């Protein structure tokens, strides 16, 4: 280290003899503890140990080895700050470092500032640490300072006085030189030529350099004992740049607190707990949201996601980006367990975090000043003044102690006020269940993000995108096919599976799901804990496996105990009872080190005054295995049973964010007892929801469980009534209605209460139905039931079921198109869209998204014997002639007579619209092929209906003439010889003209979000 503590004989202090406040001589140490009554300043800071920065000092000598003065490192680039008189008129100079090594100083390396009495010398190869420079604009009279003049001496600042600096090429007036009170020996050492020039003058309390000694300064009454203050400094120039660089990179505390100190303190709160062997994949959408937040006016951002979605990882990535930025910004990390029930606001937790950080800093290196005196208010104001607002990261606020709702409102109000007052920002990483309540307590203008169903503005975090997941699997070394599709993009599953796979002798032969990964990870960690215990206690062989089984048993016991009242953690006593710090009981096989072993393997982590599972998703999963599901449903849904209590007189409801173990218990019900058992329970939840649409636990358990099953097909008996119920709720509010039957409205179920909530629970928004693990036909059937509940198209912020269908159609047109044609018989009106029906909505969707798979759409419509299919084909003949020309060519060469009949009909329809030579050639070739099959001129009775569907009755002279025209000269000749109307009069009658089918026309440029909104039926 650069600093060392002085020996008693190395520091000279002023005593009470001679001049007021002037030291009597070198090495003299006065025992006084107070200040001179004539100065009125505070007592000497004897409680601040002075650290000698000897290795930061350099000495300048002339070529003959005579001392010229002193300098000191002021940044990490080798810049030495000294007095101008040290370098004035001397070339070359020799710089001698703390190890006595000499470095030649080239004239180009010197930046002279004679008007300030200072100079900057740029050097290389110095290994000392730079000294912090003061950030204060003035030094108070009476302040104690320390300086080097033969030895380290103590002095006091008498006043600021004008002084003249005499240089080789003239004199310069310095308006605010520091006049120092120092003993006779010290004053003699400060005379010109004594070698003290350029030395640092350090604040006795903070250790920051406040001035540079000058021996060529004088006033009318005094010739020695002056120093050049560093501030106030010019607003620009070399010195201003050096001061800014020093403040940003060299920490100083106390009165000279600077941005570098803020970064040093807050960086310790982040620590290295989040460092992993494999760097996480960057998620650009989240990073962009964070950037917009830090540059915008909002003060609170909520990063909302399910356990295992990577919330903590994204917070750590944000802290790392802020630390690596060219202008680093302070980031203070807090956990929900750091909060206390008596806290008035987030500031109290921040204050404790800073105190812990200060202890870490002072333990890691000697520090001048007291970092523990720093308050979050001062830190936030300093960060704001530097243009880099303090950012508080609150991870897992669900872990905060339970408190009544009114107490939480007071805490939130105080936190919002503190953020406004100090300019600090807050990022909260939490579950949706927490933010649903907590976010509503913040003023809306403070929140960043977008609203989501049932949630205040926030940033949602889900699984990785396909590209991000591929990158993550590549980094982890996980092949694409080893995880099920539902879990291959889940961040925690990828990470844990990579650890498990690295420990396996060979990869599994079939794709594994999340449950298998969690079980394997738990087994692996228990084995590692057992190996650690065995090494400490001399256990070997098969006894290690037995020990691993005992560890697993204790882990399950810890999960069972953490289900009690609280936030899912173990208090210190419960943790030690399960994992002893000292000797373990005989039933565990004796030995020691259980607690340290599970902590070292990362299975548990400290959380406030207790401990919790390191991974929240793993905690929910293992706790769900020990939950009494029937009793939980009694409490949460049926209104029976006991609730958790904060004390004997104040009942406290189960917090919503503790839903995880209940959902896992429901999913476990299906794995252990089959889908029928879970279906019955879900039916009970649906009944509870029908009785009370505002039943939070019933709706959320139903939604989360159905979303979590690997295959939702066995639960269609629950999903269909649920979809009908959602549609009926909307209909009861005067909006869209739905029905339970295939195509019509159903009567209200017996026993359903009148006057139920007008709005269905937000959990059953369109995204819920789109995310279910269902085949396409089942999903589209459910969405067909729900589209009648859509809001009006102009309600841009309202999620719509038709938009969900449009997204599915865009993603997989060949699978979704056939299902939409089944909607052609559904003539239920869409109440929010006058004159539109489910059938016309299906037409509009197929028309709007025709470009995704036009050939497949044409084939599908040709196979669908329905008037609405004919309408859409008529429009496609006009708007997509190339697709129809290709179809006609295919059908003309098809061996099926029905296809050739369709070719005849649609060749005549599309011919007037064929514009490209390729399309015309296709029609010409198709006509020739059709004319070579005279057997197609008559149709058996059983084909008459199909033929009529295609608008091609038995060909007669007019139709044959047109085909001959196509075969001989192509589409242009056909257009010249007969108009479209004459063709229809003399040839096959058309089912409907394209002009008579406005309901299917929509703007071809529409996106999936605007599906069907462009045609007249949607805007009448």
């Amino acid at each position: 280290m650069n600093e060392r503590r002085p020996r008693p004989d190395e520091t000279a202090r002023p005593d009470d003899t001679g001049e007021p406040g002037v030291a009597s001589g070198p090495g003299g140490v006065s025992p006084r503890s107070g200040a001179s009554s004539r100065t009125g300043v505070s007592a000497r800071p004897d409680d601040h140990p002075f650290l000698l920065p000897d290795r930061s000092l350099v000495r300048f000598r002339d070529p003959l080895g005579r001392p010229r003065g002193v300098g000191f490192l002021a940044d990490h680039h080798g810049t030495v700050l000294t007095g101008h008189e040290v370098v004035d008129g001397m070339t070359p100079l020799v710089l001698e470092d703390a190890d006595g090594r000499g470095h030649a100083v080239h004239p180009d390396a010197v930046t002279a500032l004679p008007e300030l009495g200072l100079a900057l010398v740029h050097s290389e190869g110095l290994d000392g640490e730079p000294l912090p420079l003061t950030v204060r604009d003035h030094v108070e009279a009476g302040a104690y300072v320390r300086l080097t003049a033969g030895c380290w001496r103590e002095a006091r600042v008498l006043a600021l006085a004008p002084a003249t600096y005499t240089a080789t090429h003239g004199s310069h007036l310095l308006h605010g030189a520091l006049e120092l009170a120092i003993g006779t020996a010290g004053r003699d050492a400060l005379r010109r030529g004594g070698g003290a020039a350029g030395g640092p003058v350090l604040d006795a309390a903070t250790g920051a350099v406040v001035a540079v000694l000058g021996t060529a300064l004088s006033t009318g009454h005094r010739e020695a004992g002056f120093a050049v203050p560093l501030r106030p400094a010019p607003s620009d120039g070399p010195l201003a740049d050096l001061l800014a660089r020093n403040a940003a990179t060299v920490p100083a505390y106390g009165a000279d607190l600077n941005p570098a100190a803020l970064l040093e303190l807050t960086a310790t709160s982040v620590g290295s707990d989040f460092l992993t062997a494999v760097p996480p994949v960057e998620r650009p959408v989240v990073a962009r949201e964070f950037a917009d937040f830090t540059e915008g006016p909002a003060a609170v951002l909520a990063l909302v996601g399910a356990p295992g979605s990577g919330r903590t990882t994204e917070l750590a990535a944000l802290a790392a980006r802020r630390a690596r930025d060219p202008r680093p910004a302070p980031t203070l990390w807090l956990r929900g367990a750091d909060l206390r029930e008596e806290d008035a606001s987030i500031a109290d937790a921040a204050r404790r975090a800073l105190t812990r950080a200060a202890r870490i800093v002072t333990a890691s290196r000697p520090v001048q000043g007291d970092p523990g005196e720093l308050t979050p208010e001062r830190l936030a104001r300093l960060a704001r003044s530097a243009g880099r607002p303090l950012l508080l990261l609150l991870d897992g606020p669900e872990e905060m102690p339970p408190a009544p709702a009114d107490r939480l409102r007071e805490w939130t109000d105080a936190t919002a006020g503190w953020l406004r007052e100090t300019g600090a920002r807050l990022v909260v990483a939490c579950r949706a269940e927490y933010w649903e309540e907590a976010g509503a307590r913040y003023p809306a203008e403070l929140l960043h993000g977008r609203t989501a169903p049932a949630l205040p503005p926030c940033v949602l975090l889900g699984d990785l995108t396909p590209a991000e997941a591929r990158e993550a699997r590549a980094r982890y070394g996980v092949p694409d096919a080893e995880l099920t599709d539902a879990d291959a993009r889940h961040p925690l599953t990828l990470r844990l599976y990579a650890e498990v796979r690295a420990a396996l002798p060979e990869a599994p032969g079939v794709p594994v799901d999340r449950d298998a990964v969690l079980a394997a990870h738990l087994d692996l960690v228990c084995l590692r804990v057992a190996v650690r215990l065995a090494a400490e206690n001399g256990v070997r062989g098969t006894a290690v496996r037995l020990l691993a089984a005992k560890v697993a048993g204790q882990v399950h016991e810890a999960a069972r105990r953490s289900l009690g009242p609280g936030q899912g953690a173990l208090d210190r006593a419960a943790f030690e009872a399960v994992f002893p710090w000292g000797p373990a009981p005989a039933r565990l096989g004796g030995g020691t080190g259980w607690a340290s072993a599970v902590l070292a393997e990362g299975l548990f982590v400290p959380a406030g005054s207790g401990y919790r599972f390191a991974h929240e998703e793993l905690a929910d999963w293992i706790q769900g295995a020990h939950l009494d599901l029937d009793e939980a449903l009694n409490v949460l849904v049926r209104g029976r049973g006991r609730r958790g209590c904060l004390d004997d007189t104040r009942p406290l409801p189960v917090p919503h964010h503790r839903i995880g173990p209940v959902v896992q218990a429901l999913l476990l019900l299906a794995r252990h007892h089959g889908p029928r058992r879970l279906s019955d329970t879900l039916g009970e939840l649906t009944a509870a929801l029908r009785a009370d649409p505002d039943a939070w636990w019933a709706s959320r358990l139903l939604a989360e469980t159905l979303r979590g099953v690997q295959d939702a097909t066995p639960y269609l008996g629950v999903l269909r009534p649920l979809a009908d119920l959602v549609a009926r709720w909307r209909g009861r509010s005067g909006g869209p209605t739905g029905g339970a039957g295939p195509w019509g409205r159903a009567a209200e179920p017996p026993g359903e209460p009148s006057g139920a909530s007008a709005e269905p629970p937000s959990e059953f928004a369109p995204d819920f139905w789109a995310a279910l693990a269902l085949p396409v036909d089942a999903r589209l059937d459910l969405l067909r039931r729900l589209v009648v509940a859509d809001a009006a198209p102009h309600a841009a912020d309202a999620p719509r079921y038709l938009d969900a269908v449009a997204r599915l159609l865009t993603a997989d047109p060949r699978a979704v198109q056939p299902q939409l044609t089944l909607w052609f018989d559904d003539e239920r009106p869409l109440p929010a869209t006058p004159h539109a029906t489910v059938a016309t909505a299906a037409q509009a969707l197929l028309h709007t998204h025709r470009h995704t798979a036009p050939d497949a759409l044409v084939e599908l419509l040709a196979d669908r014997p329905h008037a609405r299919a004919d309408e859409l084909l008529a429009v496609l003949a006009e708007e997509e002639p190339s697709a129809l020309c290709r179809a006609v060519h295919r059908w003309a060469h098809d061996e099926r007579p029905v296809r050739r009949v369709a070719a005849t009909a649609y060749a005549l329809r599309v011919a007037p619209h064929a514009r490209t030579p390729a399309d015309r050639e296709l029609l010409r070739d198709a006509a020739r092929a059709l004319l070579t099959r005279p057997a197609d001129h008559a149709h058996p009775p059983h084909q008459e209906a199909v033929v009529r569907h295609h608008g091609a009755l038995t060909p007669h002279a007019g139709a044959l003439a047109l085909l001959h025209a196509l075969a001989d000269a192509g589409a242009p000749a056909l257009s010249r010889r007969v108009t479209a109307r004459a063709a229809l009069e003399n040839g096959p009658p058309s089912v409907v003209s394209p002009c008579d089918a406005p309901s299917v026309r929509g703007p071809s440029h529409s996106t999936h979000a605007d599906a069907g909104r462009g045609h007249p039926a949607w805007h009448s």
Side-chain angles (χ1 to χ4, degrees):
M1 299 299 294
N2 281 339
E3 298 85 1
R4 62 184 178 86
R5 302 184 187 278
R7 298 189 302 273
D9 60 345
E10 282 188 301
T11 302
R13 293 180 176 177
D15 64 11
D16 293 325
T17 62
E19 296 179 290
V22 178
S24 59
V29 180
S30 171
R32 80 177 170 184
S33 60
S36 168
S37 61
R38 281 177 284 182
T39 61
V41 297
S42 59
R44 177 187 292 115
D46 291 328
D47 53 342
H48 293 282
F50 180 50
L51 305 176
L52 298 180
D54 289 344
R55 296 197 59 81
S56 299
L57 301 182
V58 299
R59 300 191 180 277
F60 291 94
R61 300 185 183 276
D62 64 17
L64 299 179
R66 293 172 297 191
R68 287 285 300 178
V70 181
F72 57 93
L73 276 172
D75 64 15
H76 293 282
H77 303 293
T79 303
V80 174
L81 182 58
T82 186
H84 181 265
E85 61 187 279
V86 176
V87 301
D88 184 25
M90 287 298 298
T91 55
L93 280 175
V94 176
L95 183 152
E96 187 180 278
D97 61 20
D99 295 324
R101 294 174 299 182
H103 305 263
V105 178
H106 194 274
D108 293 341
V110 178
T111 301
L113 304 171
E115 69 281 1
L116 301 176
L118 300 172
L120 309 181
V121 178
H122 305 279
S123 62
E124 296 180 356
L126 301 180
D127 59 358
E129 288 293 325
L131 295 181
L133 307 181
T134 185
V135 297
R136 290 171 288 166
D137 285 336
H138 66 279
V139 181
E140 295 182 356
Y144 281 92
V145 295
R146 292 184 169 97
L147 52 90
T148 176
C151 63
W152 283 101
R153 303 176 185 274
E154 186 175 84
R156 294 176 70 185
V157 177
L158 289 179
L160 295 178
T164 300
Y165 164 54
T166 304
T168 302
H169 299 291
S171 299
H172 302 272
L173 179 62
L174 307 181
H175 293 283
L178 293 186
E179 187 175 353
L180 304 176
I182 193 169
T184 304
R187 183 177 299 180
D188 291 340
L190 292 178
R191 294 191 181 277
R192 192 163 191 170
V201 178
L202 309 178
D203 184 281
T206 68
V209 180
V210 297
V212 174
L213 286 174
T215 61
L217 303 179
S218 63
T219 63
H221 66 279
R222 190 171 179 180
E223 299 295 333
F226 294 98
V228 179
L230 298 181
R231 294 180 181 270
S235 58
D236 56 9
L239 181 60
D241 294 342
L242 177 64
L243 291 173
R245 194 161 58 245
N246 181 276
T249 57
V250 185
Y253 293 93
D256 285 306
L257 181 71
N258 61 12
L262 303 188
L263 295 173
E264 182 179 48
L265 274 178
T266 55
T268 61
S269 68
V270 179
S272 59
D273 293 342
F274 313 108
L275 297 178
T276 58
V278 178
V281 172
E282 182 176 355
R283 304 173 79 166
V285 173
V286 181
R288 187 162 52 250
E289 289 286 354
F290 282 145
D292 293 343
F293 169 65
T294 55
E295 296 172 3
V300 179
L301 180 148
L303 184 64
V304 176
S309 60
R311 300 187 314 245
T312 301
T313 301
E314 289 307 306
L315 290 191
L318 171 61
R321 283 194 298 271
R322 286 171 62 86
R324 293 193 307 263
D325 192 88
R327 299 182 68 247
T331 307
L332 186 64
W333 191 294
L334 304 171
R335 283 207 61 91
D338 297 331
L339 307 180
R340 296 178 182 173
E341 185 180 355
E342 65 271 16
D343 286 350
S345 71
I346 193 73
D348 294 325
R351 188 170 291 106
R352 290 191 295 272
L354 287 176
T355 301
R356 291 193 299 270
R359 288 199 296 265
I360 295 172
V361 169
T362 54
S364 62
R365 67 176 182 88
V367 175
Q368 189 78 24
D370 187 1
E373 296 176 353
L374 180 62
T375 65
E377 292 77 15
R378 185 182 175 200
L379 187 152
R381 284 192 290 268
L382 178 59
R384 179 171 60 178
S385 66
R388 290 168 279 181
L390 170 66
L391 184 64
L392 303 179
L393 304 181
L394 179 56
D395 188 21
E398 300 91 342
E399 298 173 9
M400 66 188 302
D406 56 349
R407 179 72 186 84
L408 293 177
R409 278 192 295 270
E410 295 173 3
W411 185 91
T412 304
D413 292 342
T415 295
W418 185 83
L419 294 173
R420 283 197 186 102
E421 178 185 354
T422 62
R425 308 287 181 91
L426 174 64
V427 174
V428 181
C430 59
R431 303 175 69 132
E433 295 82 10
Y434 173 85
W435 189 244
E436 183 179 349
E437 298 183 41
R441 301 188 184 102
Y442 285 96
E445 65 273 12
L446 292 187
L447 300 180
H448 173 88
R450 300 172 181 82
T451 57
L455 291 176
C458 61
V459 176
L460 294 177
L461 186 67
D463 285 347
L464 302 171
T465 66
E468 292 166 353
R470 283 193 297 272
E471 176 65 21
R473 290 194 295 271
R475 293 187 182 186
Y476 284 123
V478 175
D480 290 344
E482 291 192 4
L483 289 169
T484 59
D485 293 340
D487 300 317
R489 297 191 292 119
H490 188 256
L492 183 62
T493 301
L494 285 171
R495 176 182 168 185
L496 298 185
Y497 180 68
E499 296 179 12
V500 171
R501 192 176 188 276
L504 292 175
E506 58 183 16
V510 295
V512 295
D513 60 16
R514 192 178 311 181
D515 295 313
V517 172
L518 292 175
H521 171 75
L522 182 61
D523 291 342
L524 175 62
V525 175
C526 290
L527 181 59
R528 287 175 175 171
V529 171
V531 170
R532 187 178 292 269
L533 291 172
E536 293 181 2
N537 297 282
V539 178
R540 292 179 175 83
T542 57
V544 177
R545 292 186 177 275
L546 179 60
L547 187 56
K550 293 179 179 179
V551 171
Q554 293 304 98
V555 171
H556 281 275
E557 174 63 15
R560 187 188 65 79
R561 294 192 181 204
S562 61
L563 284 169
Q567 306 300 319
L570 294 172
D571 59 31
R572 192 175 299 275
F575 179 79
E576 186 170 0
V578 179
F579 304 108
W581 288 97
R587 61 182 176 83
L588 298 180
T592 60
W594 281 70
S596 58
V598 295
L599 293 174
E601 290 299 334
L603 185 56
F604 286 83
V605 294
S609 60
Y611 300 87
R612 63 171 178 84
F613 281 95
H615 300 299
E616 187 178 2
E617 185 173 20
L618 177 64
D620 289 348
W621 179 79
I622 192 172
Q623 288 170 4
H626 297 276
L627 181 70
D628 186 338
L629 181 59
D630 191 60
E631 178 62 22
L633 294 179
N634 281 339
V635 171
L636 303 174
V637 178
R638 301 167 185 144
R640 308 190 298 268
R642 299 180 303 159
R643 294 178 179 268
C645 294
L646 188 63
D647 54 38
D648 294 337
T649 60
R650 191 168 40 151
L652 189 70
V654 177
H656 287 174
H657 62 261
R658 292 293 289 144
I659 191 175
V662 189
V663 172
Q664 292 298 328
L666 286 167
L667 295 174
L668 192 65
L669 192 65
R671 292 196 294 271
H672 286 182
H673 303 285
R676 179 63 181 271
R677 182 78 174 272
L678 176 58
S679 185
D680 292 342
T681 303
L682 295 180
E684 181 183 356
L685 294 176
T686 306
L689 193 58
R690 181 181 292 112
D692 179 11
D694 296 323
W696 189 95
W697 282 99
S699 63
R700 190 60 62 92
L701 287 173
L702 191 59
E704 293 298 323
T705 304
L706 287 170
R707 203 179 347 242
V709 295
Q710 294 290 331
D711 180 13
T713 305
Y715 310 103
L716 286 172
V718 175
L719 288 167
R720 292 190 185 104
L722 179 61
D724 297 331
L725 184 61
V726 170
R728 270 195 300 275
W729 275 329
R730 297 292 294 269
R732 190 171 290 125
S733 67
T737 60
W743 308 117
R745 303 175 188 273
E748 201 167 275
E752 182 169 341
S754 60
S757 171
E759 291 295 328
S762 58
E763 290 81 12
F764 305 111
D767 286 345
F768 164 78
W769 305 92
L772 295 174
L774 286 171
V776 174
D777 57 343
R779 191 189 316 281
L780 267 292
D781 175 65
L782 293 172
L783 289 171
R784 179 196 57 76
R785 297 165 182 264
L786 290 159
V787 292
V788 294
D790 269 337
H794 56 75
D797 293 336
R800 302 171 68 242
Y801 296 100
L802 271 178
D803 292 339
V805 177
R807 288 191 290 271
L808 294 172
L809 177 59
T810 302
D812 191 359
R814 295 181 182 275
V816 176
Q817 285 173 348
Q819 303 304 318
L820 285 179
T821 63
L822 300 179
W823 294 20
F824 287 168
D825 292 319
D826 192 343
E827 296 297 337
R828 288 177 300 160
L830 303 182
T833 310
H835 310 297
T837 66
V838 175
T840 59
Q843 279 185 308
L845 285 168
L846 290 171
H847 177 264
T848 300
H849 299 277
R850 62 190 182 274
H851 299 295
T852 55
D855 292 336
L857 178 59
V858 170
E859 294 285 346
L860 177 67
L861 294 174
D863 285 338
R864 183 76 165 94
H866 198 283
R868 294 200 178 277
D870 278 344
E871 292 176 4
L872 189 50
L873 273 173
V875 174
L876 293 179
E878 178 183 344
E879 297 184 359
E880 300 292 335
S882 295
L884 262 294
C885 289
R886 291 193 298 270
V888 166
H889 187 267
R890 290 193 302 272
W891 298 339
H893 294 82
D894 199 301
E895 294 300 323
R896 293 170 292 177
V898 174
R899 275 287 194 256
R900 295 194 296 275
V901 170
T904 301
Y906 290 106
L908 303 180
R909 290 186 181 183
V910 76
H913 307 292
R915 299 179 181 89
T916 68
D919 291 345
R920 295 166 185 166
E921 182 61 31
L922 287 173
L923 288 180
R924 184 183 300 111
D925 186 70
R928 292 168 181 165
L930 291 171
L931 290 173
T932 61
R933 294 178 180 266
D936 292 343
H937 295 179
H939 305 288
H942 69 274
Q943 290 187 3
E944 191 65 29
V946 178
V947 172
R948 188 178 298 276
H949 158 62
H950 291 300
L953 296 177
T954 303
H956 46 73
L960 290 175
L962 294 177
L963 287 177
H964 279 291
L966 277 174
D968 295 340
L974 175 65
S975 299
R976 287 193 301 268
R977 291 177 60 177
V978 292
T979 64
R981 183 176 300 277
L984 292 174
E985 290 175 353
N986 298 322
S990 173
V991 175
V992 63
S993 167
C995 298
D996 296 329
S999 63
V1000 301
R1001 294 180 182 272
S1004 60
H1005 60 273
S1006 297
T1007 63
H1008 65 267
D1010 300 317
R1013 299 186 187 185
H1015 59 80
W1018 290 82
H1019 294 288
S1020 301

